[in-house]
Amino acid sequence: MEKYYKQITLAQNVALSGTGVHSGKRTNITIKPARENHGIKFRRVDLPGTQDIQALFKLVVDTSLATVLGTNGAIVSTIEHLMASFAGLDIDNALVEVDDYEMPIMDGSAMDFTRALTAAGTIEQDAPKHFIIVKRPIQVQDQDKSVMVLPEPCFKITCSIDFDHPLIGKQKITYDRAKNNFEQEISRARTFGFIKDLELLRKFSLGKGGSLDNAIVIDKDKILNEEGLRYPDEFVRHKLLDSLGDFSLLGMPIQGHIITHKSGHTLNHLFIKTFLENKDCWETGPARME
C-alpha cells in the first residue's frame, strides 16, 4: 500500500511577544493548531470582525521593505520570518492571531519562532500533504538578479549574493530540506542592514524598532554588533531564510530546486507570479513517501 506525506499542524498553542521593526510597537501573537486544508492564516484580533488573511501570494500588497499581506482593509506585515519557520518545520495548518499590523522582529532571525514551534510539537493529520511538482524550468531575470526553479525529486534552495562591501562580498549556500537542519543552519541567521540605510529609514519614520538587538548593523569596515556573526556567511543564510518565507506563499511546498541570485522580496514575488502563470511547467498532487 502506498504511503503519502500527511499534513501537519501544531500540538498546542504558542504565544510570543516582541517589537515591530518598522512600527516600534509591541505586538503579541498566538499561534494555534488548525484543521486539515486550512493553510496558514493571520487574524487581526485588534480588528474584530475582519476577515482572516490567508498566507497566499495573491494577497501580497507590498514588498518594498518587508512582505505585507492584506485583504478588506486589514494588513499584516513582516511575516517572512514566521512563514520561513512554518516552511522549515513542514507545518501546513495554523492560525496566527496578532494584535497589531506588524509581526514582531524578535532577534532579527526566525530562531525564536522556530524554537517555540518546535517546543509546542506537531501532529500528523489524516489528509495528504499536496505539493507543487516542478516539471520544467522557469526563470525570471532583472538585469543581474535572477530567480529560477528546476525539476528535483525533493526541495532544495540555493541562494547567492554579491555585495560591494568588504565584509560581505560574494556568498552562496544551498539548503536541502531532506537534511532536516533548518533550525540549526538557517533559522538563526539575522537580518542585516547598513548604518547609512538605518539613518535614512528613521528619517522617514521607519525602522523605529530596529536596533543591534534585532539586526546585524554594518558600517564601512566593521560590524557594530559586539558579539559578531553567528555564521561566517550569515548574510546569505538570512537571504535564504527570507526566500523560504516568500516562496511559502505559494500555499504548498515545492518539489524542485529554487536558485536565486541577488534576489529580494520584490523579485521573489515576481517569480511566483510568473511561475503560477506557467501552468504547463508544474502540477499539484500528493507525494509518495520513499
Side-chain angles (χ1 to χ4, degrees):
M1 184 178 174
E2 291 181 330
K3 291 184 69 176
Y4 291 89
Y5 290 99
K6 298 291 186 69
Q7 292 181 29
I8 291 173
T9 191
L10 292 170
Q12 57 186 314
N13 290 359
V14 171
L16 292 150
S17 297
T19 302
V21 68
H22 293 302
S23 68
K25 294 180 179 178
R26 185 83 176 170
T27 307
N28 304 294
I29 68 170
T30 303
I31 309 169
K32 298 181 174 182
R35 57 175 171 74
E36 298 163 352
N37 302 313
H38 176 276
I40 308 297
K41 293 182 181 178
F42 292 85
R43 177 175 293 168
R44 288 284 302 274
V45 295
D46 59 320
L47 299 175
T50 55
Q51 186 178 343
D52 290 348
I53 306 169
Q54 187 96 38
L56 289 175
F57 165 74
K58 64 182 180 182
L59 296 183
V60 173
V61 295
D62 188 22
T63 58
S64 54
L65 293 170
T67 299
V68 184
L69 299 173
T71 183
N72 295 327
I75 65 165
V76 61
S77 176
T78 323
I79 62 162
E80 52 270 22
H81 298 170
L82 177 58
M83 291 302 299
S85 295
F86 287 137
L89 298 174
D90 284 335
I91 295 169
D92 304 286
N93 302 310
L95 175 65
V96 184
E97 295 185 343
V98 56
D99 65 359
D100 212 309
Y101 75 89
E102 187 173 25
M103 296 294 295
I105 193 64
M106 310 310 284
D107 73 341
S109 76
M111 179 177 71
D112 291 328
F113 295 132
T114 303
R115 287 181 175 174
L117 292 169
T118 302
T122 57
I123 55 174
E124 197 174 79
Q125 298 173 291
D126 288 335
K129 186 194 295 274
H130 278 70
F131 292 79
I132 295 177
I133 301 157
V134 179
K135 299 194 296 182
R136 282 189 280 283
I138 301 175
Q139 180 173 5
V140 296
Q141 193 140 356
D142 178 14
Q143 298 180 20
D144 61 342
K145 304 173 184 177
S146 64
V147 182
M148 69 182 300
V149 66
L150 303 172
E152 186 85 26
C154 57
F155 175 67
K156 291 180 183 175
I157 180 168
T158 297
C159 281
S160 59
I161 58 175
D162 186 357
F163 280 82
D164 184 18
H165 191 284
L167 298 178
I168 307 177
K170 294 180 180 180
Q171 297 182 4
K172 184 177 181 179
I173 188 172
T174 295
Y175 168 69
D176 184 345
R177 183 65 192 95
K179 292 183 179 177
N180 199 30
N181 60 357
F182 171 78
E183 185 170 0
Q184 298 78 21
E185 298 297 326
I186 305 299
S187 75
R188 296 175 62 247
R190 294 162 294 173
T191 192
F192 61 93
F194 300 92
I195 190 72
K196 58 181 176 63
D197 296 333
L198 192 58
E199 291 164 356
L200 185 64
L201 285 173
R202 295 242 166 98
K203 184 178 177 182
F204 289 97
S205 296
L206 296 166
K208 293 177 182 176
S211 73
L212 293 172
D213 294 327
N214 53 41
I216 303 167
V217 181
I218 308 159
D219 206 345
K220 290 179 182 177
D221 57 357
K222 64 180 179 180
I223 291 166
L224 301 185
N225 307 66
E226 283 187 17
E227 73 276 19
L229 298 176
R230 293 176 177 173
Y231 312 92
D233 57 353
E234 187 168 359
F235 303 106
V236 74
R237 288 176 192 248
H238 186 77
K239 283 293 186 181
L240 193 147
L241 174 72
D242 275 349
S243 294
L244 271 176
D246 287 341
F247 295 126
S248 72
L249 297 178
L250 282 162
M252 294 181 211
I254 291 177
Q255 272 197 2
H257 186 179
I258 294 172
I259 302 169
T260 78
H261 179 62
K262 297 178 68 171
S263 186
H265 297 306
T266 301
L267 191 61
N268 287 346
H269 287 95
L270 176 61
F271 170 81
I272 293 173
K273 180 176 184 292
T274 304
F275 180 83
L276 292 174
E277 288 170 350
N278 285 269
K279 293 182 169 59
D280 60 327
C281 292
W282 50 270
E283 63 186 14
T284 62
R288 287 189 296 272
M289 299 180 73
E290 298 298 327

